[in-house]
Amino acid sequence: MNTGSKTPVKVEIPVAGPTPGTVAVLVHADGTETTVKTSVPTADGLTVSLPDGATVKVVDNSKNFADISSQYWGAEAIHFVTARELFTGTSEDAFTPEAPMTRAMLMLVLARFDGSDTTGGATWYEKGMEWAIANGISDGSRPEQNITREQLVTMLWRAEGSPAAEADLSTFTDGETVSDWAVPAVRWAVSEDILKGSNGKLNPSGTASRAEVASLLTRFHGRAE
């Protein structure tokens, strides 16, 4: 695809009936392929940022998990993140959606989203943690601790460049329980419709499950593109 630009250009590729598992794949000169993690399905196609001269194809990279039915509330988000290889299942045919997400898992996912090579290292999360520390996303502490909802949105907020936002958290019955250090991030996440309350509550200190993280990442992903 010729864009004539020196920097990647956002384009929409027409696709009939795109699904959360529809992704763009870059085909390199040597025949290797790279899934474009920032490709986002629309009503009529797929939006993706491409460099000039890129060879791209569109494929259905959906994964099937025995524990994710089509009626499961987080099914679309789970298909979205796994098709883009941001997440993997906990086994070949299971996603384990209600299992807690750790800080290390999120650092790894965000590093993948940024295009960083996360292979290698002394631990499965070492490269992701190194990326998070280098980019000011996390200090790398307590990597195996379960991540809370306010910690999750704080990492996303930092990845976005720590933008200012003025959402009114008092509209939630537990808005005052958000930790002081997380308030700017939670305001941003609420204003961008990334973090949504349940029954009028944010539950900021609650542990985020794998399905919840997939849902927040899908919303973040869509607005990021």
Side-chain angles (χ1 to χ4, degrees), residues 20 65 68 72-84 86-89 95-102 105-106 109-110 113 147 149 152-153 156 193-195 207-222:
F65 300 104
I68 304 297
Y72 182 69
W73 68 268
E76 287 194 1
I78 290 168
H79 291 313
F80 185 95
V81 297
T82 54
R84 283 152 186 79
L86 298 170
F87 271 48
T88 59
F95 185 80
T96 320
E98 302 305 320
M101 188 88 168
T102 66
M105 288 178 186
L106 184 62
V109 166
L110 292 180
F113 178 77
I147 196 165
R149 287 162 59 83
L152 165 60
V153 298
L156 293 179
D193 207 27
I194 294 170
L195 180 64
T207 298
S209 70
R210 285 169 53 84
E212 287 177 317
V213 175
S215 294
L216 265 68
L217 280 172
T218 299
R219 295 178 202 135
F220 173 74
H221 200 306

Side-chain angles (χ1 to χ4, degrees), residues 28 38 41 48 52 69 126 143 148-149 154 175 180 183 223:
H28 305 292
T38 54
V48 58
D52 186 37
S69 71
E126 181 177 344
T148 66
R149 287 162 59 83
T154 297
D180 290 344
V183 167
R223 64 161 303 283

Side-chain angles (χ1 to χ4, degrees), residues 60-77:
D60 182 356
N61 198 33
S62 300
K63 314 297 181 184
N64 294 315
F65 300 104
D67 55 355
I68 304 297
S69 71
S70 59
Q71 289 75 41
Y72 182 69
W73 68 268
E76 287 194 1

Side-chain angles (χ1 to χ4, degrees), residues 2-106:
N2 296 316
T3 64
S5 174
K6 294 181 179 180
T7 58
V9 174
K10 181 179 177 180
V11 300
E12 182 170 7
I13 303 172
V15 178
T19 70
T22 304
V23 298
V25 175
L26 288 178
V27 181
H28 305 292
D30 62 359
T32 59
E33 300 180 350
T34 302
T35 299
V36 182
K37 295 176 173 59
T38 54
S39 52
V40 177
T42 65
D44 302 307
L46 196 70
T47 59
V48 58
S49 293
L50 296 174
D52 186 37
T55 299
V56 63
K57 65 180 182 180
V58 175
V59 302
D60 182 356
N61 198 33
S62 300
K63 314 297 181 184
N64 294 315
F65 300 104
D67 55 355
I68 304 297
S69 71
S70 59
Q71 289 75 41
Y72 182 69
W73 68 268
E76 287 194 1
I78 290 168
H79 291 313
F80 185 95
V81 297
T82 54
R84 283 152 186 79
E85 299 168 2
L86 298 170
F87 271 48
T88 59
T90 53
S91 68
E92 185 174 339
D93 62 353
F95 185 80
T96 320
E98 302 305 320
M101 188 88 168
T102 66
R103 290 165 57 84
M105 288 178 186
L106 184 62

